[in-house]
Amino acid sequence: MDFVKNRSATDHLVRLETFVCEAFIQQHHAVAVLFDLEKAYDTTWKYGIMRDLHRAGLQGRLPTFIEGFLQSRNFQVRLGSCLSQLYDQKMDVPQGSILSVTLFGLMFHATRHNLVSF
């Protein structure tokens, strides 16, 4: 279960409860593995994503699109009616985008399998 805009941890807990109840009714075992990677998207390395896509042999317009998706991302903080200055996002992938889930998964997989050298 991944982060989805307008969904909360409660939505996922309800899904898990349903899964467990159905298994109980059918007298089956239910197994769940849960983990939370703190600041996962905030610490995903943009350069590493592009490097891994290149190493995987991905060519054409898709890597160019992904690079554009990751570059030139800015944010502001609002407190009441006041806005802060613009800040550049250097180390993250945008939350709430299905492409971010895929790109984070790529980096997570590559790191787990020692395909990335830091």
Side-chain angles (χ1 to χ4, degrees):
M1 293 182 249
D2 299 311
F3 172 82
V4 178
K5 192 173 186 174
N6 298 322
R7 299 282 185 198
S8 69
T10 305
D11 294 311
H12 296 300
L13 290 172
V14 169
R15 288 179 59 195
L16 177 61
E17 179 188 30
T18 302
F19 172 73
V20 170
C21 287
E22 287 175 356
F24 182 77
I25 290 167
Q26 297 173 8
Q27 297 182 342
H28 291 142
H29 294 281
V31 177
V33 177
L34 308 169
F35 63 97
D36 181 20
L37 301 175
E38 185 176 354
K39 299 190 183 284
Y41 285 7
D42 297 339
T43 58
T44 301
W45 189 30
K46 293 178 185 182
Y47 173 77
I49 290 170
M50 296 310 301
R51 184 195 57 209
D52 291 344
L53 292 175
H54 176 73
R55 285 182 179 171
L58 192 62
Q59 299 177 352
R61 293 182 180 175
L62 185 57
T64 304
F65 172 80
I66 292 171
E67 187 172 21
F69 173 76
L70 294 174
Q71 288 181 347
S72 302
R73 292 215 163 255
N74 300 309
F75 70 95
Q76 288 179 297
V77 176
R78 178 188 306 266
L79 183 58
S81 61
C82 297
L83 282 175
S84 71
Q85 66 185 27
L86 279 174
Y87 294 95
D88 183 33
Q89 291 180 297
K90 298 185 185 300
M91 277 293 293
D92 67 341
V93 293
Q95 292 197 21
S97 168
I98 192 66
L99 183 55
S100 295
V101 175
T102 304
L103 296 175
F104 172 76
L106 171 74
M107 283 300 298
F108 184 78
H109 176 77
T111 303
R112 285 195 60 229
H113 294 285
N114 298 319
L115 299 175
V116 176
S117 57
F118 294 99

